[in-house]
Amino acid sequence: MADEWDYWNQQIVEGPRLGRWTPWLYADTRTGLESGRMTGHVLSPRIRYSLGDGLNAEAHYSWVSIRSGSGEHLDQHRAEFELNPHWKPSPRLTVVLRNRVEVRWLEAQTGVDPRTRHRLHVEYALQGLGPWTSVFFQEEAILEYDGLHLAENRLVPLGLGFRLAEHATLKVYYTWRPLRLRTGWQDTHFVASQVTWRF
């Protein structure tokens, strides 16, 4: 199959920290770069809880709509739970291991479809380069438990972080995203911009 390219416009709004709790919101829209058509969107209110230095837990509800091969949008509703250790091997280096369980209800299917996602994020802070603040790498494996197989992989070989304002940051990156379909593996790709607003 031909490679497919999307643009993902991601927005994150983090509320004020309330003790160990931080409420936040994730949303994105996905657009085919060749067709110009929307290929999907996500809306997800979330809550984070600090379990201590180097470890947090999260719970989310996510409404996901993805355009199918026939052109119609199919909805998913997800309950998501995360346990995420993180380290700072040096003052400028951060390592985060995100571990997520997703319990999914898929339109036109009965029952639930669980899967897990495991993402390694390594980020290096830059100094003295104006608004350019970091470079990062990510690798994520997505495992489906109906048949117990690797369903998707997401590799970000290089991403860039920028400071937009006192409470706003921007990340831009490219992702190689092989998908396992019934007909075999298909290479897809997306470029993304992610703006985070913190209050």
Side-chain angles (χ1 to χ4, degrees), residues 5 120-126 129 132-140 154-162 170-176 190-194:
W5 285 80
L120 174 66
H121 175 96
V122 180
E123 187 157 1
Y124 186 76
L126 303 174
L129 296 177
W132 185 18
T133 57
S134 69
V135 294
F136 63 91
F137 159 88
Q138 289 180 359
E139 167 67 16
E140 182 173 30
R154 297 183 185 180
L155 174 65
V156 177
L158 179 65
L160 309 176
F162 301 90
L170 167 68
K171 289 184 176 178
V172 292
Y173 59 94
Y174 153 78
T175 301
W176 174 44
F190 66 87
V191 291
S193 60
Q194 181 184 96

Side-chain angles (χ1 to χ4, degrees), residues 99-117:
N99 300 285
R100 177 187 294 175
V101 176
E102 295 181 343
V103 182
R104 303 184 298 162
W105 289 265
L106 308 180
E107 185 177 351
Q109 295 187 25
T110 58
V112 297
D113 188 8
R115 69 182 189 180
T116 59
R117 300 169 60 156

Side-chain angles (χ1 to χ4, degrees), residues 42-160:
V42 178
L43 183 63
S44 181
R46 303 178 172 187
I47 188 77
R48 180 183 303 123
Y49 182 76
S50 175
L51 293 166
D53 290 341
L55 185 64
N56 64 54
E58 295 193 10
H60 318 151
Y61 160 74
S62 291
W63 171 42
V64 183
S65 183
I66 298 176
R67 185 183 294 274
S68 69
S70 61
E72 61 181 343
H73 281 271
L74 297 177
D75 287 346
Q76 300 180 20
H77 299 275
R78 302 176 182 171
E80 303 170 352
F81 307 94
E82 294 184 3
L83 191 63
N84 304 322
H86 48 92
W87 305 269
K88 287 191 72 68
S90 73
R92 296 170 66 178
L93 183 65
T94 301
V95 179
V96 181
L97 182 59
R98 188 182 75 180
N99 300 285
R100 177 187 294 175
V101 176
E102 295 181 343
V103 182
R104 303 184 298 162
W105 289 265
L106 308 180
E107 185 177 351
Q109 295 187 25
T110 58
V112 297
D113 188 8
R115 69 182 189 180
T116 59
R117 300 169 60 156
H118 308 277
R119 187 186 74 185
L120 174 66
H121 175 96
V122 180
E123 187 157 1
Y124 186 76
L126 303 174
Q127 294 179 343
L129 296 177
W132 185 18
T133 57
S134 69
V135 294
F136 63 91
F137 159 88
Q138 289 180 359
E139 167 67 16
E140 182 173 30
I142 301 178
L143 306 173
E144 291 191 357
Y145 288 89
D146 181 8
L148 194 61
H149 63 270
L150 178 65
E152 183 177 335
N153 191 77
R154 297 183 185 180
L155 174 65
V156 177
L158 179 65
L160 309 176

